Amino acid sequence: FQPIVDLYSGGIVAFEALTRFDDQTPPDAMFRAATACGMAQVLELATVEASIVAGEGRPSAATLTPNISPATLIASDELAGMIHLAGRPVILEVTEHESIDDYAALQAAIDRIGRGTRIAVDDAGAGSANLRHLVQLKPDFVKLDITLVHGIDDDFTRQALVVGLKEFAQVSGRALIAEGIETELERTTLVELAVRFGQGYLLGAPAPVEAWTH
């Protein structure tokens, strides 16, 4: 679990659930293997369920943010039940590893879950397809791509892009989350640009839930 922090107050507002395997296999390699044998959605649902169970130990005020692919979100009939069992607000972070061919089907799947579940789209600013996701899905949260955040304190181009995305978020009622914050100068610059939320090693590295219970 890696914390998402309110950059204004320093308080933890959510935890992104990141998958780790006991045998130390890199997550990307494990998911590629699952995809190769037609088990990608089974593995993905198992990791979401594991994150909900393990996340019961996190601070009660912090929202859980598991990752989910568009294909699994559309195809799964089990996901809604898993989310409701969490008993607390959940933000589904729609992953960027595959294209979205049917936005209407994806939106219908999100609507089926209902009950206050919110959506985040990651890697904003990483490409034109991602910008289409922002327009079509109208997510509650927009996660700034790490390539925009790294070195933003010394790069006016990155700052200008973030200002543009901030304007988009503000007029459409969304909130920005900056990923990959690793230096105090990056954090300070993002605050000056009115980015409210952030995530990264400066604010907290991924750790088992026990590390966050206090």
Side-chain angles (χ1 to χ4, degrees):
F1 295 88
Q2 185 173 29
I4 297 171
V5 172
D6 185 325
L7 297 178
Y8 296 178
S9 69
I12 294 174
V13 296
F15 287 97
E16 182 179 359
L18 301 167
T19 300
R20 300 292 182 265
F21 294 94
D22 289 341
D23 66 359
Q24 308 304 312
T25 299
D28 288 351
M30 188 71 83
F31 279 101
R32 282 197 301 271
T35 299
C37 63
M39 296 290 286
Q41 291 182 18
V42 174
L43 177 59
E44 194 172 347
L45 288 172
T47 63
V48 171
E49 185 175 24
S51 74
I52 290 171
V53 172
E56 292 176 357
R58 73 192 187 282
S60 59
T63 302
L64 179 68
T65 307
N67 291 275
I68 192 79
S69 69
T72 299
L73 187 51
I74 291 170
S76 173
D77 294 324
E78 306 166 55
L79 186 60
M82 291 181 185
I83 298 300
H84 297 162
L85 283 176
R88 290 188 246 174
V90 169
I91 299 170
L92 288 176
E93 184 168 327
V94 180
T95 58
E96 288 296 310
H97 305 303
E98 59 187 57
S99 61
I100 299 175
D101 298 320
D102 190 340
Y103 282 99
L106 183 57
Q107 188 60 58
I110 294 169
D111 293 342
R112 284 200 304 272
I113 297 173
R115 297 192 188 181
T117 297
R118 293 171 291 175
I119 298 297
V121 170
D122 64 357
D123 300 337
S128 58
N130 181 274
L131 295 178
R132 186 182 177 201
H133 299 344
L134 302 186
V135 173
Q136 295 285 346
L137 292 180
K138 300 179 175 61
D140 302 280
F141 298 91
V142 178
K143 301 191 78 173
L144 296 176
D145 187 62
I146 193 171
T147 59
L148 287 182
V149 174
H150 278 184
I152 192 171
D153 52 287
D154 195 33
D155 190 319
F156 292 125
T157 300
R158 285 183 170 87
Q159 292 175 28
L161 286 169
V162 169
V163 168
L165 287 167
K166 171 62 182 175
E167 180 68 15
F168 163 81
Q170 190 168 15
V171 300
S172 59
R174 318 301 176 205
L176 295 184
I177 303 172
E179 294 188 285
I181 301 173
E182 295 185 355
T183 70
E184 183 60 33
L185 284 173
E186 290 171 351
R187 187 197 69 80
T188 301
T189 301
L190 289 162
V191 170
E192 291 172 350
L193 296 175
V195 176
R196 180 68 182 268
F197 303 107
Q199 181 179 0
Y201 277 77
L202 177 71
L203 308 171
V209 71
E210 294 80 13
W212 305 110
T213 53
H214 300 297

